Amino acid sequence: MMEILELKKALSVRGKNGLPFLLSACVIWAGITVLFLLPLAIDTKNIFMLFATGLMFPIALILSKWTKSEWKMEDHPLSSLGLYLNLAQFMYFPIIFWAFVQSPHHMVVFFAVITGAHFFPYGWFYQAKAYFVMAPLISITLMLLGWTTEGSHAWLIPLTMLLFLVFLIFWLLVDYRKKIKM
């Protein structure tokens, strides 16, 4: 058991709790917020929102170099698990596609809830309580906000997601700093 904990701590420190990917997500969700403030048709906004997600990985790679964090560790037995945890999010994309066709005004809510929920296993992966707390908080808050937000105020969904991401980043940064002092 202790060996697994040490492996996860090393993963957390070397990968900096996944901060480059969360920073990349901030860029994406900031863009989605701006997109939802523009006077465009909802289908156009939704298509651009999906395209914006394609920028996630390239931006995260650049930010990994900038933050000097490792996300691909050939010498670490758990490192490939992070990729699988992230790919698991794509299993929920049929829900997003359903929303695109059946409920386009709610697609951003579905997308935000799925994004927030997919953070939960990273609590175990990085030994970071922030992920365990924020994943359900993000998902439930955005679901409730989605129920009360109407068309012209849909920009509140991505803005709220962005604010949650910023808070999560700061919490994980504090966690990271504690781990490197240990």
Side-chain angles (χ1 to χ4, degrees):
M1 180 68 167
M2 192 58 150
E3 182 179 316
I4 294 279
L5 291 176
E6 288 302 317
L7 283 171
K8 291 192 306 183
K9 181 182 174 196
L11 195 68
S12 175
V13 170
R14 288 173 63 187
K16 296 194 175 156
N17 281 340
L19 290 173
F21 286 90
L22 293 172
L23 290 166
S24 178
C26 283
V27 172
I28 303 299
W29 282 98
I32 293 170
T33 302
V34 170
L35 179 64
F36 273 79
L37 285 166
L38 296 175
L40 301 170
I42 191 64
D43 288 343
T44 304
K45 291 176 184 181
N46 288 339
I47 288 170
F48 282 123
M49 178 174 60
L50 281 176
F51 284 154
T53 63
L55 298 172
M56 179 73 174
F57 192 69
I59 294 170
L61 284 177
I62 292 165
L63 292 171
S64 291
K65 292 190 185 314
W66 179 64
T67 60
K68 296 178 178 71
S69 58
E70 299 176 62
W71 61 272
K72 188 176 180 186
M73 302 170 215
E74 311 266 332
D75 63 329
H76 198 289
L78 293 177
S79 69
S80 61
L81 179 59
L83 175 64
Y84 293 119
L85 291 175
N86 202 34
L87 290 176
Q89 180 182 9
F90 291 114
M91 299 305 126
Y92 298 104
F93 266 52
I95 297 168
I96 305 264
F97 297 137
W98 175 88
F100 181 80
V101 174
Q102 296 295 321
S103 188
H105 289 283
H106 295 107
M107 185 174 156
V108 69
V109 176
F110 282 88
F111 191 59
V113 168
I114 289 168
T115 300
H118 105 282
F119 293 142
F120 192 76
Y122 289 101
W124 178 89
F125 188 67
Y126 289 121
Q127 284 186 285
K129 184 179 177 182
Y131 282 115
F132 283 133
V133 172
M134 293 303 292
L137 182 63
I138 291 168
S139 296
I140 292 167
T141 302
L142 289 171
M143 177 190 66
L144 294 172
L145 187 59
W147 280 339
T148 60
T149 304
E150 294 299 320
S152 65
H153 293 92
W155 57 270
L156 287 169
I157 302 295
L159 177 64
T160 303
M161 183 67 196
L162 175 61
L163 295 174
F164 274 130
L165 285 169
V166 169
F167 182 78
L168 178 58
I169 286 167
F170 281 113
W171 191 351
L172 289 169
L173 195 55
V174 169
D175 177 75
Y176 167 76
R177 288 186 177 151
K178 283 181 186 174
K179 287 175 182 166
I180 59 173
K181 287 181 181 179
M182 297 166 92

